[in-house]
C-alpha cells in the first residue's frame, strides 16, 4: 500500500507538467512517415508513448533518445519480426492499425490485460470497409492481425462514437487510400491528428464534426516539434489548487487546444479561477501558462456534447464536484466504461470509500453529492493511471488515502508522486 497523506498547506509556485500524451504519440508516428529526421522536444517519455516508440522501432524506424528529446529518422516501414506489444496504450494500437492497414506486410498486435479487454471493432469495422484485412479475437479484441491489403478505398464514415483514436486510425488509413476519406463524428473529438498532419503538408478539409483527408504522396515534417504540457496531467493540479484554500499555482506551457479544454470550461462554470498567460501557437497547437487560484466551487451539470473535450479528466473532475456546494450531474459517460478500466464503476466503487454515498451512477450518468464527510480509506487503482492520480488528489485534499498500486501512473505521468511530494514539502513546485 502507498499512502498519500492530507495536505496541510496551500499550493504555491510554478509546476512543470510533462508533455502531452496524444501529441507525443502522433509526433513519433507521423515523423516516421516524413522524408527527413525530426527532433521532438518535451516528448512524454512515459510508458504509453514508449510503447509507440518500441512499435515504431520494431517497424524499422530509427529513434534516438536524449532525455526528453527524441530524434526520429524515417525509414521505409518493414515487417516486424515479432508481435507488436502496445502495452496499456489504446492510442498506439488503434492509430497504428490505421497506419499499417495499407502496408504490404503482416503485423500482429497484443497488449496488457487491460488493453486486451478494450474494443477494437470500432477501428476494424471502418478500416475493413476501406478494404483493410484485419482479424481480431472475437472480431473485437487483441490479439489482432493485419494482413497485406490490395488497395484501400476512400470512404465516407459516420462514426457512432466521438473518438479521436477511431478518427485518427481512419485518417491514417485514408492517407494511403485511392480517393479522399471523410470521417463524421457525433461530436468533435480532439483534433491533434488533423493539426499535425496539416502542419506536415497533408491536405485536409474540416468543419465542426467532419474531416476529409486527401491521400498524400509526400509528407514534409518540420525539423523540430515541441510537445506542449498535457492538459490532462495539468488537470490534477487545476483541481487540487482550486479546492485547497489560499492556493495559487502557475502551470507552464500547457496545451490549450479548444478540443481539450472542457476541464477548464467546466471548472470555471463551477466558480474556479483559471487564467491564461503567454498564449502561443505552434503547428496548429495553442499553448499557454495557466494560473489557478483556489475558489469556492459550486455544483455543475453537463451532457454528452461536453464529454469528448474532457473525457480523461472525468475522474478528477468528480473529485472537484465532491468538494463543491450542491449536487453535480455528469451525463453521457458511456465511453468511460471502455477506458483503461470501467472508470464509471470504479469511481462509484472506490471514491465512495473516501466519501460514502457521494457518488451514484444511474445508467451512464454520474451524480455527485458535494461536501459530504470524507474519511481516510484504502482504495484500489485497478491499475488505471487516471484513477490512481484522481484518488491521490482526493486523499491529499481530504483525510488521506492508501493506494494498492500507485506505479500505474508511469503510463502518463511518471513523476506524479514526486510532484505531489514537492507540493507537500512546500518547495518551489
Ligand atoms: C486519445 C483519445 C481519447 C483519450 C485517450 C487518448 C488520443 O480516447 O481518452 O486517452 O490520443 O487520441 P478516445 O478517442 O477513444 O476517446
Amino acid at each position: 500500500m502507498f499512502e498519500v497523506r492530507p495536505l496541510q498547506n496551500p499550493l504555491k509556485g510554478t509546476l512543470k507538467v510533462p508533455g502531452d500524451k496524444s501529441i507525443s504519440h502522433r509526433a513519433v508516428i507521423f515523423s516516421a512517415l516524413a522524408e527527413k529526421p525530426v527532433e521532438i522536444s518535451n516528448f512524454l517519455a512515459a510508458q504509453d508513448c514508449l510503447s509507440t516508440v518500441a512499435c515504431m522501432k520494431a517497424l524499422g524506424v530509427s529513434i534516438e533518445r536524449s532525455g526528453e528529446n527524441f530524434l526520429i529518422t524515417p525509414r521505409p516501414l518493414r515487417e516486424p519480426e515479432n508481435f507488436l506489444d502496445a502495452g496499456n496504450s489504446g492510442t498506439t494500437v488503434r492509430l497504428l492499425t490505421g497506419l499499417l492497414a495499407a502496408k504490404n506486410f503482416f503485423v500482429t498486435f497484443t497488449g496488457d490485460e487491460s488493453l486486451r479487454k478494450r474494443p477494437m471493432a470500432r477501428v476494424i469495422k471502418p478500416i475493413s470497409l476501406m478494404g483493410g484485412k484485419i482479424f481480431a479475437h472475437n472480431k473485437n479484441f487483441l490479439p489482432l492481425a493485419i494482413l497485406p491489403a490490395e488497395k484501400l478505398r476512400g470512404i465516407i464514415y459516420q462514426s457512432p462514437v466521438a473518438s479521436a483514436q477511431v478518427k485518427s486510425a481512419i485518417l491514417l488509413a485514408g492517407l494511403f487510400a485511392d480517393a479522399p476519406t471523410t470521417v463524421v463524428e457525433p461530436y468533435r473529438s480532439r483534433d491533434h491528428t488533423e493539426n499535425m498532419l496539416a502542419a506536415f503538408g497533408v491536405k485536409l478539409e474540416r468543419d465542426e464534426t467532419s474531416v476529409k483527408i486527401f491521400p498524400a504522396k509526400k509528407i514534409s515534417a518540420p525539423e523540430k516539434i515541441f510537445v506542449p504540457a498535457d492538459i490532462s496531467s495539468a488537470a490534477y493540479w487545476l483541481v487540487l489548487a482550486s479546492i485547497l484554500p489560499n492556493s495559487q499555482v502557475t502551470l507552464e506551457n500547457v496545451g490549450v487546444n479548444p478540443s481539450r479544454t472542457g476541464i477548464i470550461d467546466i471548472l470555471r462554470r463551477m466558480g474556479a479561477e483559471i487564467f491564461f498567460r503567454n498564449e502561443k501557437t505552434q503547428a496548429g497547437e495553442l499553448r499557454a501558462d495557466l494560473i489557478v487560484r483556489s475558489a469556492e466551487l459550486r455544483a455543475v451539470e453537463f451532457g454528452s456534447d461536453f464529454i469528448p473535450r474532457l473525457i480523461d479528466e472525468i475522474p478528477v473532475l468528480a473529485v472537484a464536484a465532491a468538494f463543491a456546494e450542491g449536487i453535480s450531474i455528469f451525463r453521457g459517460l458511456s465511453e468511460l466504461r471502455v477506458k483503461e478500466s470501467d472508470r464509471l464503476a470504479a469511481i462509484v466503487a472506490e471514491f465512495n470509500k473516501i466519501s460514502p454515498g457521494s457518488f451514484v451512477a444511474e445508467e451512464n450518468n454520474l451524480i455527485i453529492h458535494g461536501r459530504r464527510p470524507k474519511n481516510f480509506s484504502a482504495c484500489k487503482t485497478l491499475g488505471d493511471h487516471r484513477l490512481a492520480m484522481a484518488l491521490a488528489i482526493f486523499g491529499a485534499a481530504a483525510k488521506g488515502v492508501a493506494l494498492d498500486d500507485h506505479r500505474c501512473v508511469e503510463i502518463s505521468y511518471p513523476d506524479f508522486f514526486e510532484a505531489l511530494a514537492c507540493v507537500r514539502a512546500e518547495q518551489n513546485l
Side-chain angles (χ1 to χ4, degrees), residues 21-22 26 91 94 122 162-165 190 311-312 339:
K21 182 157 85 69
S22 295
R26 287 160 174 81
T91 308
R94 295 195 178 117
R122 50 181 58 200
S163 158
Q165 295 181 0
R190 64 189 67 188
I311 182 74
D312 294 335
K339 292 295 174 190

Side-chain angles (χ1 to χ4, degrees), residues 50-332:
L50 295 176
S51 292
T52 293
V53 166
C55 291
M56 296 311 288
K57 279 185 171 172
L59 287 159
V61 179
S62 157
I63 303 178
E64 289 161 78
R65 174 177 179 180
S66 150
E68 283 161 1
N69 289 354
F70 281 64
L71 182 71
I72 316 294
T73 308
R75 307 240 193 278
L77 299 186
R78 59 161 164 72
E79 183 165 304
E81 284 168 11
N82 208 334
F83 266 90
L84 295 183
D85 187 354
N88 192 249
S89 173
T91 308
T92 305
V93 66
R94 295 195 178 117
L95 266 60
L96 290 184
T97 297
L99 174 70
L100 297 170
K103 297 290 162 211
N104 59 354
F105 53 74
F106 182 75
V107 185
T108 41
F109 273 106
T110 190
D112 72 4
E113 202 184 328
S114 151
L115 192 60
R116 292 199 306 273
K117 291 191 190 121
R118 297 180 63 190
M120 298 298 149
R122 50 181 58 200
V123 290
I124 298 173
K125 189 175 162 212
I127 293 171
S128 303
L129 288 172
M130 297 176 79
K133 294 199 169 60
I134 302 167
F135 299 89
H137 175 63
N138 282 342
K139 299 192 173 153
N140 196 16
F141 300 104
L142 298 180
L144 169 156
I146 306 170
L147 273 55
E150 292 294 307
K151 181 91 194 129
L152 296 188
R153 290 183 288 280
I155 59 167
I156 298 175
Y157 188 68
Q158 194 88 40
S159 176
V161 283
S163 158
Q165 295 181 0
V166 171
K167 174 176 64 177
S168 303
I170 301 169
L171 295 177
L172 282 171
L175 264 183
F176 306 101
D178 61 359
T181 294
T182 303
V183 186
V184 187
E185 299 187 283
Y187 303 105
R188 182 193 203 160
S189 63
R190 64 189 67 188
D191 61 0
H192 305 301
T193 294
E194 297 91 305
N195 292 343
M196 202 180 287
L197 286 178
F200 280 35
V202 174
K203 185 175 172 205
L204 297 144
E205 284 170 8
R206 308 153 72 169
D207 64 24
E208 183 48 32
T209 51
S210 80
V211 193
K212 182 175 189 179
I213 190 163
F214 292 78
K217 291 216 169 57
K218 186 174 138 205
I219 292 171
S220 329
E223 272 170 34
K224 290 178 195 284
I225 298 177
F226 173 80
V227 180
D230 197 327
I231 190 167
S232 298
S233 299
Y236 302 103
W237 311 114
L238 292 177
V239 168
L240 190 58
S242 293
I243 56 188
L244 276 183
N246 303 317
S247 298
Q248 175 161 333
V249 173
T250 302
L251 306 165
E252 287 177 328
N253 269 319
V254 180
V256 285
N257 173 325
S259 66
R260 296 284 299 280
T261 45
I263 177 75
I264 294 177
D265 294 349
I266 295 295
L267 281 173
R268 280 179 173 160
R269 261 167 59 181
M270 296 173 80
E273 294 195 22
I274 302 173
F275 310 95
F276 286 25
R277 293 276 184 280
N278 301 326
E279 288 178 48
K280 293 182 194 107
T281 302
Q282 196 203 16
E285 292 292 346
L286 183 63
R287 63 181 201 265
D289 298 339
L290 300 183
I291 298 164
V292 53
R293 282 195 213 125
S294 48
E296 288 286 307
L297 298 186
R298 47 186 184 271
V300 70
E301 290 189 25
F302 59 89
S304 308
D305 53 333
F306 246 91
I307 304 300
R309 293 181 57 228
L310 45 58
I311 182 74
D312 294 335
E313 290 71 75
I314 297 288
V316 77
L317 197 55
V319 173
F323 285 89
E325 178 68 46
I327 301 175
S328 294
I329 309 180
F330 304 176
R331 294 194 176 81

Side-chain angles (χ1 to χ4, degrees), residues 315-359:
V316 77
L317 197 55
V319 173
F323 285 89
E325 178 68 46
I327 301 175
S328 294
I329 309 180
F330 304 176
R331 294 194 176 81
L333 301 179
S334 55
E335 278 297 299
L336 230 56
R337 298 204 179 271
V338 291
K339 292 295 174 190
E340 287 81 328
S341 67
D342 175 343
R343 285 187 181 151
L344 187 51
I347 288 171
V348 174
E350 302 304 319
F351 289 26
N352 274 328
K353 291 179 182 165
I354 295 180
S355 187
S358 289
F359 302 88

